[in-house]
Amino acid sequence: MSINLEEYKNVWVYIEADENKIASVSLELLGEGRKLADKAECKLAGIVIGYDVTKHAQQIIEQGADLVYVYDDLVFKDYLTETYNQALLKSVQTHKPNILLFGSTSQGKDIASAVATDIPTGLTADTTSLDVEDNILHASRPAFGGNIMATILCKKNRPQMATVRPKIMKALERDSSRTGEIIQESIDIDVSALKTKLLKVVMNETKKIRIDEADIIVCAGKGVGTDEGFAMVKDLADALGATVGGTRDIVEAGFLEHHLQIGQTGVTVTPKIYFAIGVSGAIQHVVGMKNSDLIIAINKDPNAPIFEAAHYGIVGDAFEVVPKIIEEVKKGDFLKGVVTQ
């Protein structure tokens, strides 16, 4: 069934929030959405569904949105695909956004796929780059094992939808002078007709290191994939007060757990300082760390792709270079003024 594409306007961001705060990925998407809306000369809207979430509407405006659609009802206190999908579908079908963006989180991917199935329309998953040309969303992501970047278009259906990985985009600073419109939405949901029911919420308390929150990361690559090499990487991290991460090769070799893998199939990170030790710089790794504030790469191959992403590159044998850096760090002057520990 063909649709009138001209009826679809504006860029929307699905805002993940609870009564306490807005998810950081949603704020990041507002920043990127603002760029897309400005380029397309349209409005940016946020849509938030939950309970006691109206209080977040002003922040959503202050961080880029022109409009905020709010579903605030007790029925949305806990996330259920059915209830959230009904609300989001109603707004999409009523207001007809041209572009709809979600964070690539468990909730974002769940609700995005549900909406895309029911409309139906296209959905690009785990995008790392967004652009808009002539009202067509260009959603790019690594493909074929990270060997190429594929740009995916949805020309015939609307809205154009994509999920975006956390830490890829940059949130805007809050601007209290920004103004916008807050629109209260409502929907009657027959709870007795729901096919699923939430029985219990079990909080997963873990002591695992949150590498995506680290200020300094020392990443081990295949070039230091020996017991001696990994011990050296840990020594550097200890001296810096940093967190150790690794490429897929390092994780598969058993040196680190998967939650410390950085890259397309792991975690995206944006530390203040990122050391890439013996990392070749394949695109599937680079997409997970390219937005770090300062990237320092050490590799004996002068043609290693990692140097294209690095702010500073050292061509040399890591087994000779890293011990010298550790010595300087222990003197207390290394990186002085760059990071306050």
Side-chain angles (χ1 to χ4, degrees), residues 3 19 31 69 71 104 106 117 144 162 192 235 245 250 252 280 284:
I3 62 173
E19 60 269 27
Y69 298 97
Y71 284 93
S104 189
S106 56
T117 299
F144 294 101
S192 65
D235 287 343
I250 287 293
E252 291 184 345
S280 65
Q284 52 265 53

Side-chain angles (χ1 to χ4, degrees), residues 32-308:
E32 187 67 14
R34 183 71 266 162
K35 296 178 186 177
L36 297 176
D38 288 345
K39 187 173 183 180
E41 298 182 342
C42 66
K43 292 183 178 180
L44 172 65
I47 180 164
V48 58
I49 304 170
Y51 178 64
D52 193 21
V53 293
T54 302
K55 61 189 178 186
H56 298 313
Q58 185 58 38
Q59 181 183 353
I60 294 169
I61 290 170
E62 291 176 3
Q63 294 201 237
D66 303 301
L67 306 169
V68 184
Y69 298 97
V70 182
Y71 284 93
D72 196 334
D73 194 287
L74 186 60
V75 74
F76 301 120
K77 181 173 177 56
D78 295 305
Y79 175 78
L80 282 177
T81 308
E82 286 183 271
T83 56
Y84 276 55
N85 189 36
Q86 286 183 45
L88 187 51
L89 275 175
K90 179 183 177 183
S91 286
V92 167
Q93 292 167 342
T94 301
H95 303 293
K96 298 183 178 180
N98 182 41
I99 294 170
L100 179 53
L101 306 176
F102 302 79
S104 189
T105 62
S106 56
Q107 182 183 135
K109 289 186 283 190
D110 181 66
I111 190 67
S113 57
V115 171
T117 299
D118 286 341
I119 290 180
T121 189
L123 171 63
T124 305
D126 287 334
T127 55
T128 58
S129 176
L130 298 171
D131 198 1
V132 62
E133 296 287 347
D134 297 323
N135 286 323
I136 300 294
L137 179 67
H138 292 228
S140 301
R141 54 156 297 158
F144 294 101
N147 292 312
I148 65 169
M149 286 294 290
T151 299
I152 301 169
L153 312 181
C154 179
K155 294 184 176 181
K156 297 181 179 180
N157 296 300
R158 292 294 183 274
Q160 303 166 87
M161 294 172 53
T163 63
V164 182
R165 295 185 65 174
K167 302 290 185 179
I168 292 289
M169 311 302 182
K170 294 285 188 180
L172 299 176
E173 294 293 330
R174 290 185 69 165
D175 181 357
S176 59
S177 69
R178 282 191 53 82
T179 59
E181 184 179 2
I182 300 170
I183 303 167
Q184 294 290 341
E185 300 276 74
S186 63
I187 186 172
D188 292 325
I189 293 179
D190 183 358
V191 178
S192 65
L194 297 176
K195 297 176 183 177
T196 56
K197 182 170 67 172
L198 181 66
L199 299 178
K200 185 178 181 182
V201 176
V202 179
M203 300 302 292
N204 181 21
E205 295 185 5
T206 177
K207 294 182 180 179
K208 288 182 178 180
I209 298 170
R210 287 295 303 271
I211 193 171
D212 57 340
E213 297 178 353
D215 283 339
I216 308 176
I217 294 174
V218 179
C219 180
K222 188 176 181 179
V224 289
T226 63
D227 290 339
E228 179 188 359
F230 191 70
M232 177 183 66
V233 167
K234 288 182 67 177
D235 287 343
L236 175 59
D238 289 343
L240 289 165
T243 299
V244 176
T247 63
R248 182 174 178 176
D249 289 325
I250 287 293
V251 171
E252 291 184 345
F255 289 103
L256 287 172
E257 295 183 32
H258 183 266
H259 72 279
L260 296 173
Q261 179 178 321
I262 299 166
Q264 180 185 350
T265 55
V267 180
T268 300
V269 297
T270 55
K272 294 178 180 177
I273 302 178
Y274 188 91
F275 283 88
I277 313 296
V279 175
S280 65
I283 189 171
Q284 52 265 53
H285 176 75
V286 171
V287 296
M289 45 67 75
K290 64 180 181 180
N291 289 326
S292 303
D293 290 346
L294 178 65
I295 301 170
I296 301 171
I298 302 170
N299 198 300
K300 63 183 178 181
D301 179 4
N303 298 314
I306 191 63
F307 290 125
E308 297 179 12

